[in-house]
Structure formats: structure tokens, C-alpha cells
């Protein structure tokens, strides 16, 4: 074991001397942007990608019908314009005629029709298929209740016109079409290459950049796409390095090998006054879920007691990154955010509830395990919550951590009694956060379902009147965080970044989307670096 | 086994004596930790986290505002217990197995050693992971896993020693006098392996500390908020650049202990070696 450690250290040392020096050469001759990915992207197939690492790469290779502006409002992209029928159920997208794939072929409405039907095809097994459940018959086709894909409400009327029939009004639909899972795909290429169509040699895209090289577990290189319909990006090359260790990434930033890096909590106090430091809000919630099938969390009083026993104001003191303590679920900065909702910290009431559930001072409780995926931040929070439960409820909770892929599998197959998860916005509408806990959501691990909640969420999705919509979300949030409590929200995250002063135009938005097509490297520094 | 000249000779080795004192002090800290520690090891104070060493907290506090000095003392108990117990139990198991195998020789030896080869072919870490997954997490899981892996190397070493020693003339002589096998093994062969055993033990202990922290790192070791030197160092090195006290003190503890065990091992071997006894 010792020999292994030493040899690993040695390899690391040698590698650290060798690999960045090669990139320095390229920086001198062209405009390059370099950042790290926290893991190897699991897939570059945008119908299958569900994680932020894959999406980080895909969102720079591809575009959809619509795209966000800086304020996260959907704007025309491949669709030059769209019309909506009077009842809000039929969207007709008119595509730009000048959009080409990187192999020179024109982008047509058929590419969208194919992609959406592939996403919904049960054989594709995409976890994001439910994103298009607003489309007529999409849910039925995806769950196998109907076999005929032609019944799904998406049709290319001709090459440049796409008609989408929704099952009912969905006011946020142009936001849904900004999302990677709804991007067009090439039937001919996927059929020809099978699973290998995302390899650099075969991958055909249409965004501002195209994939030039993918060296697994090391780096992905993107270069400007000469067939892009918009203005040529100011960057010639984008390099994503796979660096999972936060402190390693920070060291690479400091030595000038990365242009943007996320700060680990422990580094934030030291960098607060650094000229490159950027703090921004983040539409990302962090919660602990309860498995309602396992004792003692089958009892609502126990769940309420556990949620009330936590003083969430302590969390920003630990994480130090401007996190917002949360008892409700819709994040700050989003419509229908309401900090008044949820169970406030009240240790006496929490102890009373626990006693009323039959576990006075925790007596008679089965062993309770809190599970989280291995990560320094998750661990700090888990240890802190563990101490609060012990102090305020007198309950000893065991901690269990697992590697990310194992953890996700565990959540699906045998959900722990208490588990940690986060949710980042896919589109800046409360539907994206609230839909997560409906009984039909593939990402709801709590084994909780409430017909009234489901109805509120479904009604809110098609409600055009903001005040009525707000009332529906308030009512739903009360069910989620006060009366049924399948989850206890903990906080809304913040972004704490360092961005190189040589980089211009890198917008930091609340969804952590990084669109590099407008990013520039300052020419004066181009040669120096 | 006890050599008449042991103490006078051992005493001359200043480093070994100092090491012995240090290890004795560590054992006392481990036993009376609750009395010495100024705070509870899991007491959190988020208003005073990541504090540098000061009068209230001699070694500063960690990211959750826990007193590092108290955690280090608590960690001493776990690290010492795990490393000593696994070291000794691996030694006992390995010695019995290796001695029997080496002394018996022939087919028995062949069969026993092929069994060891099979276990040896499996990477340590994999075996440890398998065992902890079966037994479950926590101190006992770590202890059992490390013991069950540790004896393999010891068994090989001892078997080799016994193979060499049993060809000696004095063993032959004992056999000629009709001394029973068990007695020959215990009285005439094993005492001569003592030097090797001591050296092995001094290497087992630091590697047990390392293995324990490896296990904690991949999530199969101690469950938080329990702390060992390994877990403290593991938490500390991530903060190396910003809060060096978090790695400095656990690192110092591990470093000093490993040195002490190595010096003690050297001193003991020199003082105990029966062959040197004959010459002097």
C-alpha cells in the first residue's frame, strides 16, 4: 500500500510537470479557454445526459429551438420565431433556414421530431424523458401504454416548421426547449454508428464549438465550428480538463493553467478579497429526503420532528459561501419563492412531536442511517446535522457515505432512511423544482405520493394568472415541507468562483450555465500567458 | 527467552529508550484521554470554526468548530487500539500458521503455503473492502479486516525463518535427545525468530494506521464523528494551503509515532538477538 502511494505521488509529480507545459504553447498562438470538469462526462448523448458534467460540455456543442439570454429568459435560437394557439396548446416553431450541422447538412424540423421521439422511446431509457411529458401522448408512449410513436404530439410539418401539441397549456414551454435533452439529433448518424456516434470522429453538432478530441479521464478539446450559423466565437479553442479534486483545481488556477474554478468552502474566506473572486446566487436546493417505506420515517410526526430539530442558520457559518438557509423548497430568485413556508427551528416542539410519535427522547427508535455521496462538503454538513439531531432530539444517527455512481444506484434500489440530494434548475421555473416530488417523477426517491400535491403541480403548470399560480405553489410547498414532509430542505447554494481577469464576457448566471460563444480572452495578454 | 543482558544493552540505545517513553506516553494518553481532553471530541461550535491555535484551543479548531487537540487525543485512542491490536493479532495468527507450515514441511507446507499464495494474489485493499462489507463499518470492522489481511505477510516471513532455523545443528541435537516437536518449535526455534517478529511488528503498526485512513477515505472505515489520526490527516490535507494547523498536528503525531516504533524496533532487536548474546 505504501509503495502504491509513493508511486502514485511520483506519477502525479511527473504528470504535473509534463501536461500543462504542452498547453502553454497553444495559448500563445490562439485564444484558449480552459476550465475543469469535476468528473469524466458519463455521456455526450444529449438524450441520455442527466448530470451537470455532461451538460456542461453539450451546452457548448449544441443549441436548441430556444436559448436563454443573460436574464434567463428564453429567446429565439434555431427557431427564428414561434406562434402559440389561443388555448396555449399548440406551438408552431419556425426554424431558421441557415442552420447547418458541422458536416454541412442543413438542420430541419425532422431532426427535432426524431430527437424528441427518441428521447421518449422507452428503449432509449432516458431519465429526462419526463421533461416532454407536457407533449400530447408523450407520457403514454414513454411508459409503454401506447406503442405508436406517431401519436406523440410532435410533427415536422415541413423542413422548417415544427408543430408541437401539448396536452394542456404549459406556460414555461419555451424554457423547456432550451434544455439539452430537447436538442435535435441526426437519425442517419445514430443509426449508422450506434452507441459510438458520440465519439469525436463521428460526433456531428451545430453549436458554436465542435468536439475535436476526447482523451478519456484527461481532457476534452472543443474548437470553433466553421459551420455555426451565428457569429464565429472569439475563442479558437476550449479545453475541459477532468480534475475532480477541488484543491487541485484551485492550484491549477493559481498557477495559470485554468481560467475559471469553483472555490471549495474551506478556501472561500481566504479568497474573499481576491480581485478574481465572484459570488453569485445559484438556483440550486440542497435537501435531505426521508424514505417513507422505512421505520421510523413512515410516521409524519417523526419527519416533522427531524426537520424542526435543525437550526439551518448554522449552515452558512460552516460553508461560508453565502448559502441561504431554507425551510421551503422553491429557491430564492425564482417565481413563488416563499421563505415563510416550512418548519422553523423549534427544538421543544420537535422533542414533543417525537414523543407523540411514540419515541420519547428517542427511546425505541430503530438505528437510523443518513447516507450521502462522498464529498467534503456533504460530509461536513452531515456531521453537523448529526450533531444537531443528537443535541436537540437526543437521537444518534449513523452516517454512511458512498461514491456517486454507487450512491445513485443505492437510491434507486434500496433507498436509505435519510439521504442527501441536491437539485439544480434545468429551467428557471418553479415547475422544475416542484415536479421533482410528484408521484410520477423518476427522480423522487422518497416513496412519497400525494394526489392533492400532484394536482396542484399539474394545475400550476397550466395556470396563466400569476397570483393564482403563486397560491397553488404555496399550497403545494406547504404540503411538501409542513404537513407531509417527505423532504427537509436545508439551504440554497451559492456560486463562489474565481475567473481569470484575462477572460471577458463570461456571464455568471443562477443556473450555472456556461455559454462560451461570447467569451473573449483579452488580446493584450494573449501572448504573455 | 529473556536475555540476562537485555536491559543493560537496551538502556545504552538512547533513541530506543526515548521512543519507548514516547510510546508509553501515547498509551497513557490513549487510556486517560477523557481526563486530558479539554473538550468533547464531537462538540461543535460553528461560531469559532477554523480558528488558528490559541489559548483556548491549543491546536486550533476544524471546519465544524471542534477542538483539534481533543480530537487528536481521541484519535490517539482509536489509532493506537487499531494498530496495536491488528499488529499483535496479525503477528499471532501469522506466527502460528507460518511456524507450523515451515516446521512440518513437505506436503503440509506446500498445501498451507498455496493457500497463502491465493490470498496473497488478491490485492490487500480489495480483501479489506470485501471483509468490511461483510462485517460492517466501524472500529470492529476495520480491526478484523486489517488483522485478517496482515497475517499473510507475517506467515510467509516466519515460515522462511523456521525453514532456515530447523536445519541448524542445535535443532538436530534436540531431536536426537528425543525432545518433542512442539517443544523444539517453542523453545528452540521461535525465540530465534524474535528479531524478525519485532521488525515486522514495527512495520505492521504504521501500515495499519495508513490502511485505516485509506479505509476511512473510501468510506469503509470509521463512521463520523469518530476520529482517528488517519481521518484527521485526511480532512487536514485538503486544507493544507489555508489552514495548515489541521494537517500539521495529526501529521506530526503520525510521524513521531512511526519514528518511535522504528527506533524501538531497532533497539529491541539489537538487545534481544540471541546470536549477539552468544558472541558477547
Amino acid at each position: 500500500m505504501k509503495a502504491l502511494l509513493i508511486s502514485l505521488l511520483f506519477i502525479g509529480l511527473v504528470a504535473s510537470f509534463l501536461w500543462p507545459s504542452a498547453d502553454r504553447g497553444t495559448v500563445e498562438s490562439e485564444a484558449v479557454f480552459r476550465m475543469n470538469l469535476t468528473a469524466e462526462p458519463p455521456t455526450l448523448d444529449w438524450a441520455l445526459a442527466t448530470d451537470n458534467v455532461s451538460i456542461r460540455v453539450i451546452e457548448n456543442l449544441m443549441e436548441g429551438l430556444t436559448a436563454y439570454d443573460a436574464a434567463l429568459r428564453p429567446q429565439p435560437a434555431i427557431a427564428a420565431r414561434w406562434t402559440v394557439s389561443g388555448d396555449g396548446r399548440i406551438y408552431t416553431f419556425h426554424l431558421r433556414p441557415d442552420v447547418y450541422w458541422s458536416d454541412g447538412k442543413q438542420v430541419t424540423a425532422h431532426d427535432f421530431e426524431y430527437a424528441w421521439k427518441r428521447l421518449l422511446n422507452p428503449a432509449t431509457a432516458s431519465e429526462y424523458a419526463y421533461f416532454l411529458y407536457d407533449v400530447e401522448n408523450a407520457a403514454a408512449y414513454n411508459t409503454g401504454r401506447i406503442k405508436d410513436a406517431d401519436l406523440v404530439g410532435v410533427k415536422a410539418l415541413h423542413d422548417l416548421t415544427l408543430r408541437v401539441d401539448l396536452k394542456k397549456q404549459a406556460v414555461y414551454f419555451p424554457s423547456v426547449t432550451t434544455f439539452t435533452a430537447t436538442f435535435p439529433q441526426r437519425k442517419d448518424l445514430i443509426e449508422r454508428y450506434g452507441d459510438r456516434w458520440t465519439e469525436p470522429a463521428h460526433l456531428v453538432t451545430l453549436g458554436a464549438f465542435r468536439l475535436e478530441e476526447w482523451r478519456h479521464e484527461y481532457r476534452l478539446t472543443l474548437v470553433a465550428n466553421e459551420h455555426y450559423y451565428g457569429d464565429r466565437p472569439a475563442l479558437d479553442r476550449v479545453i475541459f480538463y477532468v480534475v475532480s479534486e477541488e484543491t487541485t483545481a484551485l492550484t491549477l488556477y493559481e498557477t495559470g493553467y485554468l481560467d475559471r474554478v469553483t472555490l471549495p468552502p474551506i478556501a472561500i474566506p481566504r479568497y474573499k478579497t481576491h480581485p478574481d473572486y465572484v459570488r453569485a446566487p445559484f438556483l440550486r436546493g440542497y435537501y435531505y429526503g426521508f424514505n417513507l417505506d422505512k421505520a421510523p420515517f413512515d410516521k409524519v410526526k417523526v419527519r416533522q420532528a427531524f426537520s424542526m430539530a435543525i437550526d439551518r442558520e448554522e449552515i452558512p457559518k460552516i460553508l461560508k459561501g453565502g448559502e441561504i438557509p431554507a425551510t421551503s423548497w422553491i429557491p430564492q430568485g425564482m417565481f413563488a419563492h416563499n421563505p415563510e413556508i416550512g418548519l422553523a427551528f423549534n427544538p421543544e416542539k420537535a422533542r414533543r412531536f417525537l414523543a407523540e410519535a411514540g419515541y420519547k427522547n428517542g427511546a425505541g427508535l430503530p438505528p437510523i442511517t443518513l447516507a450521502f455521496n462522498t464529498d467534503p462538503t456533504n460530509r461536513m454538513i452531515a456531521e453537523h446535522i448529526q450533531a444537531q439531531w443528537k443535541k436537540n432530539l437526543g437521537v444518534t444517527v449513523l452516517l454512511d457515505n458512498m461514491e456517486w455512481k454507487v450512491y445513485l444506484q443505492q437510491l434507486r434500489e434500496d433507498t436509505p432512511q435519510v439521504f442527501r440530494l441536491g437539485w439544480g434548475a434545468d429551467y428557471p421555473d418553479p415547475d422544475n423544482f416542484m415536479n421533482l416530488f410528484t408521484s410520477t417523477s423518476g427522480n423522487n426517491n422518497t416513496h412519497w405520493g400525494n394526489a392533492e400535491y400532484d394536482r396542484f403541480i399539474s394545475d400550476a403548470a397550466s395556470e396563466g394568472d400569476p397570483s393564482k399560480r403563486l397560491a397553488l405553489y404555496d399550497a403545494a410547498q406547504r404540503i411538501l415541507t409542513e404537513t407531509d414532509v417527505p423532504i427537509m430542505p436545508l439551504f440554497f447554494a451559492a456560486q463562489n468562483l474565481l475567473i481569470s481577469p484575462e477572460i471577458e464576457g463570461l456571464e455568471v448566471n443562477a443556473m450555472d450555465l456556461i455559454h462560451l460563444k461570447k467569451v473573449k480572452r483579452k488580446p493584450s495578454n494573449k501572448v504573455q500567458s | 527467552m529473556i536475555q540476562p543482558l537485555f536491559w543493560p544493552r537496551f538502556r545504552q540505545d538512547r533513541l530506543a529508550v526515548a521512543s519507548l517513553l514516547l510510546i508509553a506516553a501515547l498509551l497513557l494518553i490513549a487510556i486517560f484521554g477523557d481526563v486530558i481532553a479539554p473538550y468533547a471530541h464531537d462538540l461543535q461550535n460553528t461560531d469559532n470554526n477554523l480558528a488558528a491555535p490559541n489559548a483556548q484551543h491549543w491546536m486550533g479548531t476544524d471546519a465544524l468548530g471542534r477542538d483539534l487537540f481533543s480530537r487528536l487525543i481521541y484519535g490517539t485512542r482509536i489509532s493506537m487500539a487499531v494498530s496495536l491490536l491488528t499488529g499483535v493479532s496479525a503477528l499471532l495468527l501469522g506466527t502460528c500458521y507460518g511456524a507450523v507450515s515451515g516446521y512440518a514441511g513437505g506436503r503440509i507446507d506446500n498445501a498451507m503455503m498455496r493457500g497463502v499464495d491465493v490470498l496473497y494474489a488478491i490485492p490487500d485493499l480489495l480483501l479489506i473492502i470485501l471483509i468490511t462489507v461483510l462485517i460492517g463499518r466501524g472500529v470492529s470492522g476495520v480491526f478484523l479486516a486489517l488483522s485478517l489481511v496482515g497475517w499473510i505477510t507475517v506467515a510467509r516471513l516466519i515460515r522462511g525463518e523456521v525453514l532456515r532455523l530447523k536445519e541448524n545443528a542445535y535443532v538436530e541435537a534436540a531431536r536426537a535427545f528425543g525432545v518433542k516437536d512442539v517443544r523444539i518449535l517453542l523453545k528452540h526455534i521461535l525465540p530465534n525468530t524474535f528479531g524478525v517478529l519485532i521488525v515486522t511488528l514495527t512495520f505492521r503498526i504504521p501500515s495499519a494506521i495508513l490502511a485505516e485512513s485509506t479505509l476511512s477515505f473510501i468510506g469503509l472505515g470509521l463512521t463520523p464523528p469518530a476520529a482517528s489520526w488517519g481521518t484527521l490527516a485526511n480532512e487536514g490535507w485538503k486544507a493544507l494551503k489555508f489552514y495548515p494547523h489541521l494537517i500539521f498536528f495529526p501529521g506530526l503525531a503520525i510521524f513521531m509515532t512511526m519514528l518511535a516504533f522504528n527506533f524501538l524496533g531497532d533497539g529491541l532487536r539489537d538487545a534481544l538477538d540471541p546470536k549477539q548474546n552468544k558472541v558477547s
Side-chain angles (χ1 to χ4, degrees):
Chain A
M1 211 171 284
K2 206 153 111 195
L4 178 79
L5 268 179
I6 291 168
S7 52
L8 276 179
L9 264 175
F10 182 68
I11 291 169
L13 261 175
V14 171
S16 67
F17 282 117
L18 289 178
W19 67 299
S21 57
D23 306 326
R24 291 230 142 172
T26 58
V27 174
E28 282 170 27
S29 50
E30 32 178 19
V32 182
F33 176 82
R34 302 147 307 168
M35 66 174 282
N36 72 309
L37 301 174
T38 52
E40 162 91 1
T43 175
L44 286 186
D45 181 344
W46 43 96
L48 299 178
T50 57
D51 62 290
N52 48 11
V53 176
S54 307
I55 290 170
R56 170 81 76 232
V57 180
I58 293 165
E59 69 196 2
N60 284 296
L61 293 172
M62 283 298 297
E63 274 182 28
L65 289 170
T66 52
Y68 288 123
D69 62 10
L72 297 177
R73 287 169 307 213
Q75 301 293 337
I78 296 177
R81 61 193 171 84
W82 58 89
T83 55
V84 190
S85 66
D87 60 358
R89 281 191 53 234
I90 301 167
Y91 279 74
T92 311
F93 292 95
H94 300 278
L95 272 55
R96 293 172 64 122
D98 58 346
V99 187
Y100 294 93
W101 293 96
S102 51
D103 63 352
K105 205 173 163 217
Q106 194 184 6
V107 175
T108 68
H110 300 284
D111 297 329
F112 283 95
E113 185 186 335
Y114 169 73
W116 289 19
K117 285 178 177 168
R118 178 167 179 263
L119 181 76
L120 290 166
N121 188 336
T124 312
S126 169
E127 287 169 47
Y128 264 129
Y130 77 94
F131 248 68
L132 288 178
Y133 276 16
D134 291 318
V135 175
E136 184 79 51
N137 283 331
Y141 175 59
N142 184 237
T143 51
R145 271 183 285 127
I146 58 172
K147 299 280 173 225
D148 187 3
D150 288 338
L151 294 174
V152 177
V154 54
K155 181 113 194 86
L157 295 181
H158 55 83
D159 273 3
L160 294 177
T161 314
L162 185 74
R163 175 182 155 144
V164 180
D165 290 57
L166 303 183
K167 64 175 186 235
K168 58 186 174 55
Q169 189 181 20
V171 288
Y172 48 76
F173 196 72
S175 290
V176 172
T177 53
T178 64
F179 189 64
T180 50
T182 70
F183 291 174
Q185 296 195 317
R186 283 280 293 274
K187 186 181 178 189
D188 53 334
L189 298 176
I190 293 174
E191 282 175 358
R192 189 184 317 158
Y193 298 116
D195 288 342
R196 290 184 8 265
W197 75 274
T198 53
E199 293 293 315
H202 307 314
L203 187 64
V204 171
T205 54
L206 55 78
F209 297 92
R210 64 180 172 82
L211 182 66
E212 186 188 58
E213 178 198 48
W214 182 359
R215 289 167 67 181
H216 294 277
E217 299 289 349
Y218 171 42
R219 71 176 184 191
L220 289 94
T221 308
L222 275 53
V223 293
N225 173 13
E226 53 274 28
H227 290 283
Y228 182 54
Y229 71 90
D231 296 333
R232 188 191 184 280
L235 295 170
D236 299 306
R237 188 177 294 270
V238 175
I239 303 175
F240 293 109
Y241 290 108
V242 179
V243 181
S244 58
E245 188 62 55
E246 287 171 318
T247 43
T248 310
L250 183 56
T251 307
L252 288 172
Y253 178 87
E254 287 208 312
T255 44
Y257 296 117
L258 295 178
D259 297 311
R260 174 205 182 271
V261 75
T262 302
L263 283 174
I266 210 153
I268 291 170
R270 294 292 162 101
Y271 282 88
K272 263 188 172 158
T273 52
H274 196 282
D276 302 356
Y277 177 69
V278 179
R279 175 179 286 182
F282 199 177
L283 293 176
R284 188 173 178 82
Y286 190 107
Y287 70 95
Y288 280 174
F290 301 111
N291 180 354
L292 271 74
D293 283 350
K294 284 187 180 167
F297 299 104
D298 48 344
K299 294 192 171 132
V300 66
K301 288 249 156 141
V302 176
R303 302 197 296 271
Q304 288 168 327
F306 270 68
S307 181
M308 274 189 291
I310 299 303
D311 181 4
R312 293 158 171 88
E313 299 294 328
E314 295 279 304
I315 294 169
K317 292 188 206 162
I318 298 167
L319 297 183
K320 297 173 187 292
E323 292 76 15
I324 301 159
T327 54
S328 57
W329 181 233
I330 296 174
Q332 193 172 58
M334 199 179 252
F335 177 76
H337 167 68
N338 187 345
E340 302 302 317
I341 292 178
L343 297 171
F345 176 51
N346 189 339
E348 293 84 32
K349 203 172 168 190
R351 279 194 293 273
R352 202 174 69 232
F353 272 36
L354 193 65
E356 283 168 20
Y359 305 109
K360 195 165 168 46
N361 295 324
L365 277 174
I368 295 170
T369 304
L370 160 62
F372 57 95
N373 56 299
T374 313
D375 171 89
T377 307
N378 294 342
R379 204 180 123 101
M380 269 199 284
I381 293 168
E383 281 195 55
H384 180 68
I385 300 291
Q386 179 190 38
Q388 284 211 40
W389 275 332
K390 172 130 205 190
K391 187 172 134 208
N392 299 329
L393 281 182
V395 176
T396 305
V397 173
L398 301 173
L399 303 187
D400 192 11
N401 57 308
M402 279 162 262
E403 187 267 324
W404 180 234
K405 278 183 192 156
V406 181
Y407 183 66
L408 289 180
Q409 197 182 346
Q410 179 89 27
L411 286 181
R412 278 195 299 269
E413 289 168 4
D414 181 21
T415 316
Q417 287 159 302
V418 192
F419 58 92
R420 176 220 85 92
L421 271 180
W423 185 257
D426 300 307
Y427 47 92
D429 187 277
D431 180 71
N432 181 237
F433 268 70
M434 299 299 280
N435 206 351
L436 180 62
F437 296 110
T438 55
S439 50
T440 50
S441 159
N443 289 318
N444 177 3
N445 297 297
T446 61
H447 301 219
W448 171 75
N450 180 321
E452 197 184 12
Y453 178 88
D454 290 0
R455 206 181 63 242
F456 285 160
I457 301 310
S458 154
D459 289 352
S462 51
E463 180 57 65
D465 179 354
S467 64
K468 283 185 192 160
R469 200 162 183 241
L470 180 68
L472 284 168
Y473 280 129
D474 275 359
Q477 281 212 91
R478 285 189 201 283
I479 295 175
L480 185 69
T481 62
E482 288 179 9
T483 57
D484 280 14
V485 200
I487 62 158
M488 46 179 283
L490 287 173
F491 65 90
F492 304 125
Q495 301 182 75
N496 290 274
L497 310 166
L498 296 178
I499 297 173
S500 163
E502 293 174 28
I503 298 301
E504 264 178 2
L506 184 64
E507 287 161 0
V508 179
N509 58 54
M511 281 169 58
D512 191 27
L513 297 170
I514 300 184
H515 291 134
L516 293 167
K517 66 178 176 183
K518 287 185 203 146
V519 171
K520 292 188 187 111
R521 179 175 280 276
K522 279 187 193 162
S524 58
N525 291 319
K526 204 163 148 182
V527 189
Q528 285 175 18
S529 54
Chain B
M1 193 152 91
I2 292 156
Q3 315 296 330
L5 288 172
F6 167 72
W7 185 245
R9 251 208 262 153
F10 181 77
R11 210 172 42 186
Q12 281 167 6
D13 190 343
R14 294 262 170 81
L15 267 176
V17 175
S19 301
L20 187 69
L21 289 177
L22 183 76
I23 290 167
L26 283 175
L27 284 175
L28 286 177
I29 290 174
I31 295 165
F32 299 107
D34 294 334
V35 188
I36 305 166
Y39 302 89
H41 76 279
D42 56 355
L43 181 75
Q44 301 185 5
N45 177 7
T46 46
D47 290 318
N48 187 26
N49 55 2
L50 296 171
N54 56 48
Q56 278 84 44
H57 301 282
W58 297 348
M59 295 182 181
T61 58
D62 71 2
L64 291 171
R66 295 176 294 201
D67 181 53
L68 187 61
F69 181 57
S70 305
R71 281 177 76 69
L72 200 62
I73 287 175
Y74 179 87
T76 308
R77 176 178 292 178
I78 293 192
S79 288
M80 289 306 255
V82 167
S83 55
L84 281 177
L85 284 175
T86 56
V88 170
S89 61
L91 216 61
L92 283 177
L93 252 170
T95 308
C96 293
Y97 195 95
V100 169
S101 175
Y103 192 76
R107 274 199 195 150
I108 300 176
D109 180 38
N110 211 355
M112 286 175 88
M113 280 301 124
R114 291 304 77 73
V116 165
D117 285 347
V118 169
L119 287 178
Y120 202 74
I122 306 171
D124 273 9
L125 198 58
L126 194 66
L127 210 56
I128 294 174
I129 289 171
L130 278 176
I131 295 168
T132 36
V133 165
L134 284 176
I135 301 169
R137 288 181 61 170
V139 180
S140 53
V142 172
F143 164 68
L144 266 170
L146 294 182
S147 311
L148 289 176
V149 169
W151 70 272
I152 300 169
T153 358
V154 181
R156 285 189 146 187
L157 271 170
I158 295 300
R159 174 200 171 245
E161 277 295 293
V162 172
L163 272 185
R164 185 175 64 80
L165 291 169
K166 77 172 182 185
E167 303 302 329
N168 279 352
Y170 63 87
V171 176
E172 206 99 324
R175 208 173 279 142
F177 277 116
V179 182
K180 283 196 178 115
D181 281 349
V182 178
R183 198 175 158 78
I184 294 177
L185 197 57
L186 290 179
K187 276 277 165 186
H188 300 282
I189 296 183
L190 280 185
N192 286 297
T193 63
F194 206 70
V196 179
L197 279 183
I198 289 294
V199 176
T200 319
L201 183 64
T202 54
F203 278 111
R204 286 302 320 161
I205 287 171
S207 72
I209 294 176
L210 196 69
E212 184 274 316
S213 64
T214 310
L215 275 184
S216 300
F217 184 79
I218 57 175
L220 287 170
L222 299 175
T223 48
S228 67
W229 291 351
T231 57
L232 288 176
N234 187 13
E235 280 169 35
W237 79 264
K238 292 182 188 117
L240 176 64
K241 242 162 91 181
F242 319 106
Y243 305 99
H245 68 273
L246 289 178
I247 180 70
F248 180 76
F249 293 108
L252 189 70
I254 295 174
F255 173 73
M256 294 298 286
T257 311
M258 294 205 182
L259 267 189
F261 272 109
N262 276 303
F263 286 138
L264 181 69
D266 276 352
L268 280 176
R269 189 189 45 204
D270 292 348
L272 285 171
D273 196 335
K275 256 178 277 163
Q276 286 189 17
N277 209 14
K278 258 176 238 158
V279 178
S280 62

